[in-house]
């Protein structure tokens, strides 16, 4: 099995774990996620042992370096933008009109864009996105630097 297939499997396992985490929170079954997490780690270890092309040379080290750097550069912007939106949503203070202070019967409920639960789930999904970003950048830089070309003459 190739490295990139392993990375894709890791991303899929992470997405499945997020779904199981959501299910266990919604139905209050914390043991379910704990068991699923252990099974996921064991599964990834077994799949990792099947990977055949973990040969490190200067070219693959450079590809890994560039892919990791680009992943962080793209991901921190996405994650930071979402986190700013989430914090602004949680800290929203409604502006009260003059009528509010005169008429206390008119209760103003501030609109909530996202609940804290949805914010947490979205952040977990963004972390899974980071794995897929890394795989995509790794494939891009492997093609750019010619990792899949043969060196035989």
């Amino acid at each position: 099995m190739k490295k990139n297939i392993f990375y894709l499997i890791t991303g899929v396992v992470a997405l499945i774990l997020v779904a199981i985490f959501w299910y266990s929170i919604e139905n209050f079954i914390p043991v379910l996620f704990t068991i699923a997490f252990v099974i996921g780690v064991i599964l990834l270890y077994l799949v990792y042992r099947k990977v055949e092309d973990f040969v490190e040379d200067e070219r693959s080290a450079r590809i890994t370096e560039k892919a990791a750097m680009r992943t962080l550069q793209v991901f921190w912007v996405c994650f930071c933008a979402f986190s700013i939106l989430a914090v602004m949503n949680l800290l929203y203070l409604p502006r009260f009109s003059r009528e509010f202070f005169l008429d206390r019967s008119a209760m103003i409920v501030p609109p909530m864009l996202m609940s804290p639960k949805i914010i947490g789930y979205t952040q977990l999904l963004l972390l899974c996105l980071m794995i897929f970003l890394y795989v995509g950048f790794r494939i891009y830089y492997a093609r750019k630097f010619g990792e899949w070309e043969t060196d035989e003459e």
Side-chain angles (χ1 to χ4, degrees):
M1 172 187 316
K2 301 279 188 186
K3 276 189 284 195
N4 291 334
I5 299 297
F6 170 72
Y7 294 139
L8 287 173
I9 291 172
T10 302
V12 170
V13 168
L15 285 174
I16 291 170
L17 284 175
V18 167
I20 292 172
F21 179 75
W22 171 79
Y23 181 80
S24 66
I25 293 291
E26 290 293 321
N27 295 307
F28 195 67
I29 311 170
V31 173
L32 176 66
F33 179 71
T34 306
I35 292 170
F37 182 77
V38 171
I39 290 171
V41 169
I42 291 171
L43 175 71
L44 288 176
Y45 174 73
L46 294 173
V47 171
Y48 176 79
R49 291 173 39 146
K50 303 276 186 197
V51 176
E52 300 161 349
D53 65 342
F54 270 128
V55 177
E56 284 293 320
D57 59 357
E58 293 85 14
R59 186 181 347 178
S60 64
R62 175 118 171 115
I63 291 168
T64 301
E65 173 189 332
K66 295 285 269 184
M69 186 56 129
R70 290 295 178 253
T71 300
L72 286 176
Q73 288 173 342
V74 170
F75 181 74
W76 81 264
V77 172
C78 297
F79 196 74
C80 186
F82 176 78
S83 296
I84 289 170
L85 172 71
V87 168
M88 290 177 72
N89 183 48
L90 292 174
L91 297 178
Y92 173 74
L93 295 174
R95 295 185 182 162
F96 297 108
S97 65
R98 186 167 200 204
E99 291 80 28
F100 175 78
F101 293 108
L102 299 175
D103 182 19
R104 298 296 275 183
S105 65
M107 196 62 176
I108 298 174
V109 178
M112 185 168 251
L113 298 175
M114 294 181 290
S115 70
K117 189 186 294 187
I118 296 299
I119 291 170
Y121 293 147
T122 306
Q123 286 180 339
L124 286 173
L125 286 173
L126 283 172
L127 290 173
C128 292
L129 170 70
M130 187 168 65
I131 296 169
F132 290 109
L133 272 174
Y134 177 75
V135 171
F137 281 123
R138 183 146 175 75
I139 291 169
Y140 171 76
Y141 284 111
R143 287 187 181 154
K144 183 177 179 179
F145 293 122
E147 183 179 74
W148 294 318
E149 297 173 3
T150 60
D151 289 335
E152 298 175 18
E153 297 182 14

